[in-house]
Structure formats: C-alpha cells, structure tokens
Coordinates of all heavy atoms in Angstrom, one line a residue:
A1 N 7.3 78.4 -8.5 CA 7.3 77.1 -7.8 C 6.0 76.4 -7.9 O 4.9 77.2 -7.8 CB 7.7 77.2 -6.4
K2 N 5.9 75.2 -8.1 CA 4.6 74.4 -8.2 C 4.0 74.3 -6.8 O 4.7 74.0 -5.8 CB 4.9 73.1 -8.8 CG 3.6 72.3 -9.0 CD 3.9 70.9 -9.6 CE 2.7 70.1 -9.8 NZ 2.9 68.8 -10.4
R3 N 2.7 74.6 -6.7 CA 2.0 74.5 -5.4 C 1.1 73.3 -5.5 O 0.4 73.1 -6.5 CB 1.2 75.8 -5.2 CG 0.4 75.8 -3.9 CD -0.2 77.1 -3.7 NE 0.7 77.8 -2.8 CZ 0.5 79.0 -2.3 NH1 -0.6 79.6 -2.7 NH2 1.3 79.5 -1.5
I4 N 1.1 72.5 -4.4 CA 0.2 71.4 -4.3 C -0.7 71.5 -3.1 O -0.3 71.9 -2.0 CB 1.0 70.1 -4.1 CG1 2.0 69.9 -5.3 CG2 0.2 68.9 -3.9 CD1 2.9 68.7 -5.1
T5 N -2.0 71.3 -3.3 CA -2.9 71.4 -2.2 C -3.2 69.9 -1.7 O -3.5 69.0 -2.4 CB -4.3 72.0 -2.7 OG1 -4.0 73.3 -3.2 CG2 -5.3 72.0 -1.5
V6 N -3.0 69.8 -0.3 CA -3.2 68.5 0.3 C -4.4 68.7 1.3 O -4.4 69.5 2.1 CB -2.0 68.1 1.1 CG1 -2.2 66.7 1.8 CG2 -0.8 68.0 0.2
T7 N -5.4 67.8 1.1 CA -6.6 67.9 1.9 C -6.5 66.9 3.0 O -5.7 66.0 3.0 CB -7.9 67.6 1.1 OG1 -7.8 66.3 0.6 CG2 -8.0 68.6 -0.1
R8 N -7.5 67.0 4.0 CA -7.6 66.0 5.1 C -7.8 64.6 4.5 O -7.3 63.6 4.9 CB -8.7 66.3 6.0 CG -8.4 67.4 7.0 CD -9.6 67.6 7.9 NE -9.3 68.7 8.9 CZ -8.9 68.5 10.1 NH1 -8.8 67.2 10.6 NH2 -8.7 69.5 10.9
D9 N -8.7 64.5 3.4 CA -9.0 63.2 2.8 C -7.7 62.7 2.1 O -7.5 61.5 2.2 CB -10.0 63.4 1.7 CG -11.4 63.6 2.3 OD1 -11.6 63.3 3.5 OD2 -12.3 64.1 1.6
D10 N -6.8 63.5 1.6 CA -5.6 63.1 1.0 C -4.7 62.5 2.1 O -4.1 61.4 1.9 CB -4.8 64.2 0.3 CG -5.5 64.8 -0.9 OD1 -6.2 64.0 -1.6 OD2 -5.3 66.0 -1.1
L11 N -4.6 63.1 3.2 CA -3.8 62.6 4.3 C -4.4 61.3 4.9 O -3.6 60.4 5.2 CB -3.7 63.7 5.4 CG -3.0 65.0 5.1 CD1 -3.1 66.0 6.3 CD2 -1.5 64.7 4.8
A12 N -5.7 61.2 5.0 CA -6.3 60.0 5.5 C -6.0 58.8 4.6 O -5.7 57.7 5.0 CB -7.8 60.2 5.7
E13 N -6.2 59.1 3.3 CA -5.9 58.0 2.3 C -4.5 57.6 2.3 O -4.2 56.4 2.3 CB -6.3 58.5 0.9 CG -6.1 57.5 -0.2 CD -6.5 58.0 -1.5 OE1 -7.2 59.0 -1.6 OE2 -6.1 57.3 -2.5
A14 N -3.5 58.5 2.5 CA -2.1 58.2 2.5 C -1.8 57.4 3.8 O -1.1 56.4 3.8 CB -1.3 59.4 2.5
W15 N -2.4 57.8 4.9 CA -2.2 57.1 6.2 C -2.8 55.6 6.1 O -2.1 54.7 6.5 CB -3.0 57.8 7.3 CG -2.7 57.1 8.7 CD1 -1.6 57.5 9.5 CD2 -3.4 56.1 9.3 NE1 -1.7 56.7 10.6 CE2 -2.8 55.8 10.5 CE3 -4.5 55.3 8.9 CZ2 -3.2 54.8 11.4 CZ3 -4.9 54.3 9.8 CH2 -4.3 54.1 11.0
R16 N -3.9 55.5 5.5 CA -4.5 54.1 5.3 C -3.6 53.3 4.4 O -3.4 52.1 4.7 CB -5.9 54.2 4.8 CG -6.9 54.6 5.8 CD -8.4 54.4 5.3 NE -8.7 55.2 4.1 CZ -9.1 56.5 4.1 NH1 -9.3 57.1 5.3 NH2 -9.3 57.2 3.0
G17 N -3.0 53.9 3.4 CA -2.1 53.1 2.5 C -0.8 52.7 3.2 O -0.3 51.7 2.9
L18 N -0.3 53.5 4.2 CA 0.9 53.2 4.9 C 0.6 52.3 6.1 O 1.6 51.7 6.7 CB 1.6 54.5 5.4 CG 2.1 55.3 4.2 CD1 2.6 56.7 4.8 CD2 3.3 54.6 3.5
N19 N -0.6 52.3 6.6 CA -1.0 51.5 7.8 C -2.1 50.6 7.6 O -3.2 50.7 8.3 CB -1.3 52.5 8.9 CG -0.1 53.4 9.3 OD1 0.8 53.0 9.9 ND2 -0.2 54.7 8.8
P20 N -2.0 49.6 6.7 CA -3.1 48.7 6.4 C -3.3 47.8 7.6 O -2.4 47.4 8.3 CB -2.6 47.9 5.2 CG -1.1 48.0 5.3 CD -0.8 49.3 5.9
S21 N -4.5 47.5 7.9 CA -4.8 46.6 9.0 C -5.5 45.3 8.4 O -6.3 45.5 7.5 CB -5.8 47.2 10.0 OG -7.0 47.6 9.4
P22 N -5.0 44.2 8.8 CA -5.6 43.0 8.2 C -7.0 42.8 8.7 O -7.4 43.3 9.8 CB -4.7 41.9 8.8 CG -4.1 42.5 10.1 CD -4.0 43.9 9.8
P23 N -7.8 42.1 7.9 CA -9.2 41.8 8.4 C -9.2 40.9 9.6 O -8.2 40.2 9.8 CB -9.8 41.1 7.2 CG -8.7 40.6 6.4 CD -7.5 41.5 6.7
G24 N -10.2 41.1 10.4 CA -10.3 40.2 11.6 C -10.2 41.1 12.9 O -10.0 42.3 12.9
P25 N -10.2 40.4 14.0 CA -10.2 41.1 15.3 C -8.9 41.7 15.6 O -7.8 41.2 15.1 CB -10.6 40.0 16.3 CG -10.2 38.7 15.6 CD -10.4 38.9 14.1
V26 N -8.9 42.6 16.5 CA -7.6 43.2 17.0 C -7.0 42.3 18.0 O -7.6 41.6 18.8 CB -8.0 44.6 17.8 CG1 -6.8 45.1 18.5 CG2 -8.6 45.6 16.8
G27 N -5.6 42.1 17.8 CA -4.9 41.2 18.7 C -3.9 41.9 19.6 O -3.5 41.3 20.6
L28 N -3.6 43.1 19.3 CA -2.6 43.9 20.1 C -3.0 45.3 20.2 O -3.3 45.9 19.2 CB -1.2 43.7 19.6 CG -0.1 44.6 20.2 CD1 0.1 44.1 21.6 CD2 1.1 44.6 19.4
V29 N -3.0 45.9 21.4 CA -3.2 47.3 21.6 C -1.9 47.9 22.2 O -1.5 47.4 23.2 CB -4.4 47.7 22.5 CG1 -4.5 49.1 22.8 CG2 -5.7 47.1 21.9
A30 N -1.2 48.8 21.5 CA 0.0 49.4 22.0 C -0.3 50.9 22.4 O -0.8 51.6 21.5 CB 1.1 49.3 21.0
I31 N 0.1 51.2 23.6 CA -0.2 52.6 24.1 C 1.1 53.2 24.5 O 1.9 52.6 25.2 CB -1.2 52.5 25.3 CG1 -2.5 52.0 24.8 CG2 -1.4 53.9 25.9 CD1 -3.5 51.7 25.9
G32 N 1.3 54.5 24.2 CA 2.4 55.2 24.7 C 3.6 55.1 23.7 O 4.7 54.9 24.2
N33 N 3.4 55.2 22.5 CA 4.5 55.1 21.5 C 5.0 56.5 21.2 O 4.3 57.1 20.4 CB 4.0 54.3 20.3 CG 3.5 52.9 20.7 OD1 4.1 52.2 21.5 ND2 2.3 52.6 20.3
P34 N 6.1 57.0 21.7 CA 7.1 56.2 22.4 C 6.8 56.1 23.9 O 7.2 55.1 24.5 CB 8.4 57.0 22.1 CG 7.9 58.4 22.0 CD 6.6 58.3 21.3
H35 N 6.3 57.1 24.6 CA 6.1 57.0 26.0 C 4.8 57.7 26.5 O 4.5 58.8 26.1 CB 7.3 57.7 26.8 CG 8.5 57.0 26.7 ND1 9.6 57.4 25.9 CD2 9.0 55.9 27.3 CE1 10.6 56.5 26.0 NE2 10.2 55.6 26.9
A36 N 4.0 57.0 27.2 CA 2.8 57.5 27.8 C 3.1 58.3 29.0 O 4.0 58.0 29.8 CB 1.8 56.4 28.2
S37 N 2.4 59.4 29.2 CA 2.6 60.3 30.4 C 1.8 59.9 31.6 O 0.9 59.0 31.4 CB 2.2 61.7 30.0 OG 0.8 61.8 29.8
V38 N 2.1 60.4 32.7 CA 1.3 60.2 33.9 C -0.2 60.5 33.7 O -1.1 59.8 34.0 CB 1.8 61.0 35.1 CG1 0.9 60.9 36.3 CG2 3.2 60.5 35.5
E39 N -0.4 61.7 33.0 CA -1.8 62.1 32.8 C -2.5 61.1 31.9 O -3.7 60.8 32.1 CB -1.8 63.5 32.2 CG -1.3 64.6 33.1 CD 0.3 64.7 33.2 OE1 1.0 64.1 32.3 OE2 0.8 65.3 34.1
E40 N -1.8 60.7 30.8 CA -2.5 59.7 29.9 C -2.8 58.4 30.6 O -3.9 57.9 30.4 CB -1.6 59.5 28.7 CG -1.4 60.7 27.8 CD -0.3 60.6 26.8 OE1 0.7 60.0 27.1 OE2 -0.5 61.1 25.6
L41 N -1.9 57.9 31.4 CA -2.1 56.7 32.1 C -3.2 56.8 33.2 O -3.9 55.8 33.4 CB -0.8 56.1 32.6 CG 0.2 55.8 31.5 CD1 1.6 55.4 32.1 CD2 -0.3 54.6 30.6
T42 N -3.2 57.9 33.8 CA -4.3 58.2 34.8 C -5.6 58.2 34.1 O -6.6 57.6 34.6 CB -4.0 59.5 35.5 OG1 -2.7 59.4 36.2 CG2 -5.1 59.8 36.5
E43 N -5.7 58.8 32.9 CA -7.0 58.9 32.2 C -7.3 57.5 31.7 O -8.5 57.0 31.7 CB -6.9 59.8 31.0 CG -8.2 59.9 30.3 CD -8.2 61.0 29.2 OE1 -7.3 61.9 29.2 OE2 -9.2 61.1 28.5
L44 N -6.3 56.7 31.2 CA -6.6 55.3 30.8 C -7.1 54.5 31.9 O -8.1 53.7 31.7 CB -5.3 54.7 30.2 CG -5.4 53.3 29.8 CD1 -6.4 53.1 28.6 CD2 -4.0 52.7 29.4
A45 N -6.6 54.6 33.1 CA -7.1 53.9 34.3 C -8.5 54.3 34.6 O -9.4 53.4 34.8 CB -6.2 54.2 35.5
A46 N -8.9 55.5 34.5 CA -10.2 56.0 34.7 C -11.2 55.4 33.7 O -12.3 54.9 34.0 CB -10.3 57.5 34.8
L47 N -10.8 55.4 32.4 CA -11.6 54.9 31.3 C -11.8 53.4 31.4 O -12.8 52.9 31.0 CB -11.0 55.3 30.0 CG -11.1 56.8 29.6 CD1 -10.2 57.0 28.4 CD2 -12.5 57.2 29.4
S48 N -10.8 52.7 32.0 CA -10.8 51.3 32.1 C -11.5 50.7 33.3 O -11.7 49.5 33.4 CB -9.4 50.8 32.1 OG -8.7 51.2 30.9
R49 N -11.8 51.6 34.3 CA -12.3 51.2 35.6 C -13.6 50.4 35.4 O -14.5 50.8 34.6 CB -12.7 52.4 36.4 CG -13.0 52.0 37.9 CD -13.1 53.3 38.8 NE -11.8 53.9 38.9 CZ -11.5 55.1 38.5 NH1 -12.4 55.9 38.0 NH2 -10.3 55.6 38.7
G50 N -13.6 49.2 35.9 CA -14.8 48.3 35.9 C -14.9 47.5 34.6 O -15.9 46.8 34.3
R51 N -13.8 47.6 33.8 CA -13.8 46.9 32.5 C -12.7 45.9 32.4 O -11.7 46.0 33.1 CB -13.7 47.8 31.3 CG -14.8 48.8 31.2 CD -14.5 49.8 30.1 NE -15.6 50.7 30.0 CZ -16.1 51.1 28.8 NH1 -15.5 50.8 27.7 NH2 -17.1 52.0 28.8
K52 N -12.8 44.9 31.6 CA -11.7 43.9 31.4 C -11.4 43.9 29.9 O -12.3 43.9 29.1 CB -12.1 42.5 31.9 CG -12.3 42.4 33.3 CD -11.1 41.8 33.9 CE -11.3 41.6 35.4 NZ -10.1 41.6 36.1
K53 N -10.2 43.7 29.6 CA -9.8 43.5 28.2 C -10.2 42.1 27.7 O -10.2 41.2 28.5 CB -8.4 43.8 27.9 CG -7.4 42.8 28.4 CD -6.0 43.0 27.9 CE -5.1 41.9 28.2 NZ -5.4 40.6 27.6
A54 N -10.4 41.9 26.5 CA -10.7 40.6 25.9 C -9.4 39.7 26.1 O -8.3 40.2 26.0 CB -11.0 40.7 24.5
E55 N -9.6 38.5 26.5 CA -8.5 37.6 26.7 C -7.7 37.3 25.5 O -6.5 37.0 25.6 CB -9.0 36.3 27.3 CG -9.6 36.5 28.7 CD -9.5 35.2 29.5 OE1 -8.8 34.3 29.1 OE2 -10.1 35.2 30.6
T56 N -8.3 37.6 24.3 CA -7.6 37.3 23.0 C -6.8 38.6 22.6 O -6.1 38.5 21.6 CB -8.6 37.0 21.9 OG1 -9.5 38.1 21.8 CG2 -9.3 35.7 22.2
V57 N -6.8 39.6 23.4 CA -6.1 40.9 23.0 C -4.9 41.1 24.0 O -5.2 41.1 25.2 CB -7.0 42.1 23.0 CG1 -6.3 43.4 22.7 CG2 -8.2 41.9 22.1
D58 N -3.7 41.3 23.5 CA -2.6 41.7 24.3 C -2.6 43.2 24.4 O -2.9 43.9 23.4 CB -1.3 41.2 23.8 CG -1.2 39.6 23.9 OD1 -1.6 39.1 24.9 OD2 -0.7 39.0 22.9
C59 N -2.1 43.8 25.5 CA -1.9 45.2 25.6 C -0.5 45.5 26.1 O -0.1 44.9 27.1 CB -3.0 45.7 26.6 SG -3.0 47.5 26.8
V60 N 0.1 46.4 25.5 CA 1.5 46.9 25.8 C 1.5 48.4 26.1 O 0.9 49.1 25.2 CB 2.5 46.5 24.7 CG1 3.9 47.0 25.0 CG2 2.5 45.0 24.4
V61 N 2.0 48.8 27.2 CA 2.1 50.2 27.5 C 3.6 50.5 27.7 O 4.3 49.9 28.5 CB 1.3 50.6 28.8 CG1 1.6 52.1 29.1 CG2 -0.1 50.3 28.6
T62 N 4.1 51.5 26.9 CA 5.5 52.0 27.1 C 5.5 53.3 27.8 O 4.7 54.2 27.5 CB 6.2 52.0 25.8 OG1 5.5 52.9 24.9 CG2 6.3 50.6 25.1
T63 N 6.4 53.5 28.7 CA 6.6 54.7 29.4 C 8.0 54.8 30.0 O 8.8 53.9 29.9 CB 5.5 54.9 30.5 OG1 5.5 56.2 31.0 CG2 5.8 53.9 31.7
S64 N 8.3 55.9 30.6 CA 9.6 56.1 31.2 C 9.7 55.5 32.6 O 8.6 55.3 33.2 CB 10.0 57.6 31.3 OG 9.1 58.3 32.2
R65 N 10.8 55.3 33.1 CA 11.0 54.8 34.5 C 10.4 55.8 35.5 O 9.8 55.4 36.5 CB 12.5 54.6 34.8 CG 13.0 53.4 34.1 CD 14.5 53.1 34.5 NE 14.9 51.9 33.7 CZ 16.1 51.9 33.1 NH1 16.9 52.9 33.1 NH2 16.4 50.8 32.5
A66 N 10.6 57.1 35.3 CA 10.1 58.1 36.2 C 8.5 58.1 36.2 O 7.9 58.2 37.3 CB 10.6 59.5 35.8
T67 N 7.9 57.9 35.0 CA 6.5 57.8 35.0 C 6.0 56.6 35.6 O 5.0 56.6 36.4 CB 6.0 57.9 33.5 OG1 6.4 59.2 33.0 CG2 4.5 57.7 33.4
L68 N 6.7 55.5 35.4 CA 6.3 54.2 36.0 C 6.3 54.3 37.6 O 5.4 53.9 38.3 CB 7.2 53.1 35.6 CG 6.9 51.7 36.2 CD1 5.5 51.3 35.9 CD2 7.9 50.7 35.7
A69 N 7.4 55.0 38.1 CA 7.5 55.2 39.5 C 6.4 56.0 40.0 O 5.8 55.7 41.1 CB 8.8 55.8 39.9
A70 N 6.0 57.0 39.3 CA 4.9 57.9 39.7 C 3.6 57.2 39.7 O 2.8 57.4 40.7 CB 4.9 59.2 38.8
I71 N 3.3 56.4 38.7 CA 2.0 55.8 38.7 C 1.9 54.6 39.6 O 0.9 54.2 40.1 CB 1.5 55.4 37.2 CG1 2.4 54.3 36.6 CG2 1.5 56.6 36.3 CD1 1.9 53.6 35.4
E72 N 3.1 54.0 39.9 CA 3.1 53.0 41.0 C 2.8 53.6 42.3 O 2.0 53.1 43.1 CB 4.5 52.3 41.0 CG 4.6 51.3 39.8 CD 6.0 50.6 39.8 OE1 7.0 51.2 40.3 OE2 6.1 49.6 39.2
A73 N 3.4 54.7 42.6 CA 3.2 55.4 43.9 C 1.7 55.9 44.0 O 1.2 55.9 45.2 CB 4.1 56.6 44.0
S74 N 1.1 56.3 42.9 CA -0.3 56.8 43.0 C -1.4 55.8 43.0 O -2.5 56.1 43.2 CB -0.5 57.8 41.9 OG -0.5 57.1 40.6
G75 N -1.0 54.5 42.6 CA -2.0 53.4 42.5 C -2.5 53.2 41.1 O -3.3 52.3 40.9
V76 N -2.1 54.1 40.2 CA -2.6 54.0 38.8 C -2.1 52.7 38.2 O -2.8 52.0 37.5 CB -2.2 55.2 38.0 CG1 -2.4 55.0 36.5 CG2 -2.9 56.5 38.5
A77 N -0.8 52.3 38.4 CA -0.3 51.1 37.8 C -1.1 49.9 38.3 O -1.4 49.0 37.5 CB 1.2 50.9 38.2
A78 N -1.5 49.8 39.6 CA -2.3 48.7 40.1 C -3.6 48.7 39.5 O -4.2 47.6 39.1 CB -2.4 48.8 41.6
A79 N -4.2 49.8 39.3 CA -5.5 49.9 38.6 C -5.5 49.4 37.2 O -6.4 48.7 36.7 CB -6.1 51.3 38.7
L80 N -4.4 49.7 36.5 CA -4.2 49.3 35.1 C -4.0 47.8 35.0 O -4.3 47.2 34.0 CB -3.1 50.1 34.4 CG -3.4 51.5 34.1 CD1 -2.1 52.2 33.6 CD2 -4.5 51.6 33.1
S81 N -3.4 47.2 36.0 CA -3.0 45.8 36.0 C -4.2 45.0 36.4 O -4.2 43.7 36.2 CB -1.9 45.5 37.0 OG -0.7 46.2 36.5
A82 N -5.2 45.6 37.0 CA -6.4 44.8 37.6 C -7.2 44.2 36.5 O -7.2 44.6 35.4 CB -7.2 45.7 38.4

C-alpha cells in the first residue's frame, strides 16, 4: 500500500485553501459552532470583561437551551450582553 506523509504545514495549507478570508476587517465573529459550553462562555465573559466589541463587528454565539439557562442563572449571559 502507498504511504503518504502529511505534515502540519500540509494541513495548514489545506485549511487555508478551504477557508479563504477576504481582505479587510472582520465583520462577524461566530462562537460555539455547534454549541459553546458553560465553561467556554464563562471564560469568554472573563476575557471580555471591561472591553467592548467594535460596532462594525457582529457576534453570534450558539449554545444549547440548557447552557443558556445555566449562564442566565449565573450572570454570565448578562456579562456577555453588556
């Protein structure tokens, strides 16, 4: 059987080929694809504390209903919305 060696550089090049980004500023940040966890959203809230996103950038977070309920109860959702 033929053996092929794939390096990290090969993988990075393939990823860039499949995920080209247009030149210019970022317009959308999507987090939690498919679903962000309570831990990830708690960390995101901590990293975002005291910061504001650029008005020209939209941000979308996807998560489960159970995770949303948990972060609403803990105050993380309010921190992320601030």
Side-chain angles (χ1 to χ4, degrees):
K2 184 177 178 182
R3 181 173 262 182
I4 298 173
T5 301
V6 178
T7 67
R8 284 181 180 260
D9 288 340
D10 294 330
L11 293 174
E13 183 179 340
W15 186 89
R16 284 190 299 274
L18 294 170
N19 297 286
S21 60
V26 171
L28 173 68
V29 175
I31 298 170
N33 304 309
H35 288 102
S37 67
V38 170
E39 294 79 14
E40 290 167 326
L41 295 171
T42 300
E43 184 171 350
L44 177 61
L47 291 169
S48 302
R49 191 170 293 119
R51 298 176 177 219
K52 293 263 184 205
K53 73 168 187 66
E55 293 206 12
T56 58
V57 177
D58 292 319
C59 184
V60 176
V61 176
T62 58
T63 194
S64 69
R65 289 184 179 134
T67 297
L68 179 58
I71 67 168
E72 286 175 336
S74 68
V76 169
L80 289 171
S81 296

